[in-house]
Amino acid sequence: MIGLSGRLRASLIIGGQGIRARKLRTFLSMVSLFLGVLAVVVVQAGAEIANRAMLADVELYEGKDGTRQVYLSPEGQTVPVALEVLEGRTDAVAMTTARAIIGEPGVKPINEGGGPVDQPGGPRMTCDESGCRPIDDGDALPRGQAIELQLVGLTGDIRQFRPFRASQGQWLDFGGVPSLAPRLVLNQEAAKAFSRYQVPAEMRVDGATAHPTPRFVGVIDDGGYQPTAYVRADELLNWLPATSMSDSRSGPGLQVLMAPSAVEVEHVLRARLVAAGTPEDSIRVTTVETLKRMSTELALMRWIFLGMAALVLLIGVAGILNVGLATVGERIEEFALRRAVGTPRLLLAGIVLAETLLTGLLTAALAIGTGVLGLKLALIVFGSQFPTLEGTAFPWQAGVAGVIAGLVAGVLGGLVPALRAARIPISTVMRA
């Protein structure tokens, strides 16, 4: 082990001296290898960033991987039971969905049906076993200054499951007593509607006993295309009976999101729902597995681009190989003299291989540095256009891939020259 360590140290020292003595050739080798290593770094970094961005968008409306979720029909005592079980819980959140219209009373909303305000909408539809048909809201009503949106009531902070991105203002504060003026956080589609149209601050919710005056406290990006507002469920209870807080015609009905560790909550909720008359076979808890579902497609794309980067890297390896063979040809007398004074063949091969390995590592460091700077510049220039990239850091996987690519290129490009140097006969020194 001591002898091997000494030979390795000697190879690195002499290899470094060779690089310093032949700066131009080292530079040419690095130029030929740089694009190949940079391609590997860019592909790996791009794949990691694309994975994160794609998962971030999916998590906005599906939830983080591992989240346990269940959709329940809001009929009967389902909503009151769920609100009671999940009250004050931090490891589980219930979501109720209702239809709300904010604006002038007694008129049809601008976006009838609750769709985006910049797209033509239509009347609300209801569907059952016999098919779908429009809901009769009174055809005699004139169209006026009002906006229809989906109102989502929350029992707790949902961002631990669906990481909404804040755009303006603040998120809901679930501490303290509920306000009589419901505090709403709008998604971007709803914010766009209210910035385009000036409407009275009166909110009409289906099933409410009166029309409350809402307060807008923030705007978030939830990845949705439908105007939506989020509100504390207990603030809705001031104006709306619990049995009317969720309507499957206005959304997915009652949805419960739970952390993987919330096993006790799941068991209690299931038992209470069954006792309240909910059929047990209708309570189906599923786990969000976005990464598992998309892993095949993501891996296929990564391997395709890595294959293209490997082709570019092979061109750089060919450049190192040519430079290495030319260098060994010029140093035949030097290597023969070293053999004559007792230098082992393995050490001669190690000297040549150490030069190419050090060249590969230097090139990898340069390529990684270029990738880091390129990512920072891209975030400065395009960060505002792509919110999912905000705060993105250079992935360490790309740095590791760059180092490995540099080492592999150094081995492949220096192996043949190293073998040629090791086979130089001692008699060659007599020609000098």
Side-chain angles (χ1 to χ4, degrees), residues 5 37 44-45 55 78 93 113 143 193 205 208 212 221 250 253 261 280 294 307 346 374 381 398 405 414 423 428:
S5 176
V37 178
Q44 185 67 27
L55 290 176
T78 302
V93 174
R143 191 176 299 275
V205 185
D221 177 14
S250 304
S261 59
E280 187 172 3
M294 302 172 60
L346 184 60
V381 177
R423 293 176 179 176
T428 308

Side-chain angles (χ1 to χ4, degrees), residues 12 77 87 99 111 113 160 184 194 291 303-304 353 425:
L12 293 175
Q77 296 298 311
E87 182 180 2
R99 171 179 175 258
N111 60 329
Q160 59 179 312
L184 304 184
F194 286 108
L291 186 59
W303 282 112
I304 290 175
L353 196 58

Side-chain angles (χ1 to χ4, degrees), residues 76-92:
Q77 296 298 311
T78 302
V79 176
V81 169
L83 295 181
E84 182 181 350
V85 172
L86 301 179
E87 182 180 2
R89 303 288 309 197
T90 58
D91 53 356

Side-chain angles (χ1 to χ4, degrees), residues 142-166:
R143 191 176 299 275
Q145 293 295 103
I147 296 173
E148 180 178 342
L149 46 78
Q150 183 184 63
L151 189 62
V152 179
L154 302 174
T155 60
D157 194 346
I158 196 178
R159 293 176 299 173
Q160 59 179 312
F161 306 111
R162 296 170 61 182
F164 296 153
R165 294 186 287 265

